[in-house]
């Protein structure tokens, strides 16, 4: 019955002109645990750059979510809000097109989370595959902070408060989207009205970038990432340290392309696909040195990151202006979220004074 929902406006009996004319709403965000890196660039920033011209896009600096497993590092979490914002602006996110905002300054999101929590069981929260994996990775086991266990509900509130229909995320976030839609359906069913809107995940075509050590994921906490603001010698050292093929000892030996980080990154950053295919073939048949490939990759990365680094440096000198951008964005975002939460409360009979 509700299966034709997805991108675009909700089909209702009474469609208004503004719904017909409105652009799809996009919401996505990042935990503010540290500056962003190349994995974020290919995984989501590039998508956001494209979407900001065609949609109404909200970008969330998820400081509250970051605290759910970093309460001991709360200073770092709050200090990184501006770092991540600078990363956004440095790659070309335009605050006149995208609304960048700070989660902790929109209290309506916490309010909506509190209401949605009544629609999920502890058992369901414990079954979320991403939560399970993160509990194992962080060694929480029996000592899971309650806030951490329920962060998928908080994330659902982030999305639902904006009635976002498109959520660009990495594959590891798919269980969050699924849980969001369960909560949306369950809320609408319990008030017998279509107040909240279901969303769709938008995955990047490139997929996740491996770490420079060859581990499956590039991640700051695993210390295997290249920051967007990396200095030239940092980029060079990272490329030199990159995992290739441990059995490719001599240049003449045939080398392996799968699992080779240099090739994974060239797949993401070498625009000449024909040339890349030839290089792969040459490497597999032997005679192509790791160092030759690494110089090519380094050249690509230096060219990509130089303008970003320069813009970052300029923005870092004008922190007042960056904070003003965040303040304006947060006001705009708060208006939108507050309108939805008012609707939610009305539907629940919680609008006593209006
Ligand atoms: N959990 C997301 C991540 O770790 C970040 C995030 C927070 C998010 N709130 C969101 C993503 C809302 C999409 C929508 O990458």
């Amino acid at each position: 019955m509700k299966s034709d929902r997805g991108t675009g406006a909700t089909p209702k009996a009474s469609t208004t002109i503004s719904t017909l004319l409105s652009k799809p709403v996009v919401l996505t965000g990042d935990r503010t645990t540290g500056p962003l890196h190349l994995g974020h660039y290919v995984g989501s920033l590039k998508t956001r750059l494209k979407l900001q011209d065609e949609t109404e896009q909200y970008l969330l600096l998820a400081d509250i979510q970051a605290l759910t497993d970093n309460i001991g590092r709360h200073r770092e979490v709050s200090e990184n809000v501006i770092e991540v914002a600078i990363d956004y602006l440095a790659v070309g996110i335009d605050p006149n097109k995208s609304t960048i905002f700070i989660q902790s300054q929109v209290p309506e999101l916490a309010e909506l989370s509190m209401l949605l929590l009544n629609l999920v069981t502890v058992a369901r929260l414990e079954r979320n595959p991403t939560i399970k994996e993160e509990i194992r990775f962080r060694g929480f086991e029996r000592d899971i902070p309650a806030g951490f266990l329920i962060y998928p509900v908080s994330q659902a509130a982030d999305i639902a408060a904006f009635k976002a229909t498109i959520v660009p995320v990495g594959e590891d976030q798919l269980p969050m989207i699924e849980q969001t839609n369960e909560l949306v359906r369950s809320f609408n069913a319990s008030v017998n009205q279509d107040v909240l809107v279901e969303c769709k995940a938008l995955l990047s075509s490139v997929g996740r970038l491996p770490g420079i050590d060859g581990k499956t994921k590039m991640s700051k906490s695993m210390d295997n990432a290249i920051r967007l603001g990396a200095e030239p010698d940092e980029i060079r050292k990272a490329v030199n340290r990159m995992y290739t093929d441990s059995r490719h000892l001599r240049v003449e030996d045939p080398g392996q392309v799968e699992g080779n980080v240099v090739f994974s990154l060239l797949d993401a950053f070498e625009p000449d696909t024909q040339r890349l295919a030839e290089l792969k073939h040459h490497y597999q048949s032997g005679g192509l040195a790791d160092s030759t490939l690494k110089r090519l990759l380094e050249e690509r990365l230096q060219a990509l990151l130089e303008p970003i680094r320069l813009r970052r440096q300029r923005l870092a000198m004008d922190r007042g202006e960056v904070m003003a951008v965040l303040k304006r964005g947060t006001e705009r975002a708060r208006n939108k979220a507050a309108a939805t939460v008012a609707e939610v409360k009305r539907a629940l009979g919680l609008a006593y004074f209006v």
Side-chain angles (χ1 to χ4, degrees), residues 37-39 208-227 230 233-246 259-266 269 290 294 297-298 301 305:
H37 53 67
L38 280 180
R208 84 162 36 153
L209 224 52
I212 63 170
D213 54 0
K215 298 234 174 74
T216 53
K217 186 179 176 181
M218 182 174 278
S219 141
K220 185 181 103 47
S221 58
M222 289 158 85
D223 195 26
N224 63 11
I226 300 178
R227 293 180 304 125
D233 69 314
E234 210 177 318
I235 299 167
R236 181 166 18 86
K237 281 187 193 141
V239 173
N240 287 342
R241 268 208 300 149
M242 243 169 234
Y243 181 83
T244 54
D245 171 0
S246 52
N260 188 319
V261 179
V262 179
F263 277 111
S264 301
L265 268 72
L266 283 171
F269 299 109
D290 283 356
K294 284 185 169 183
L297 177 62
E298 191 202 334
L301 295 183
L305 294 176

Side-chain angles (χ1 to χ4, degrees), residues 27-31 60 62 65 103 151 155 158-159 167-169 172-173 176:
L27 181 132
T28 186
D30 296 283
R31 297 176 177 207
L60 165 75
Q65 187 180 117
Q103 186 180 25
Y151 94 71
Q155 185 159 331
D158 299 337
I159 298 167
V167 184
V169 281
D172 60 323
Q173 295 292 306
M176 303 299 168

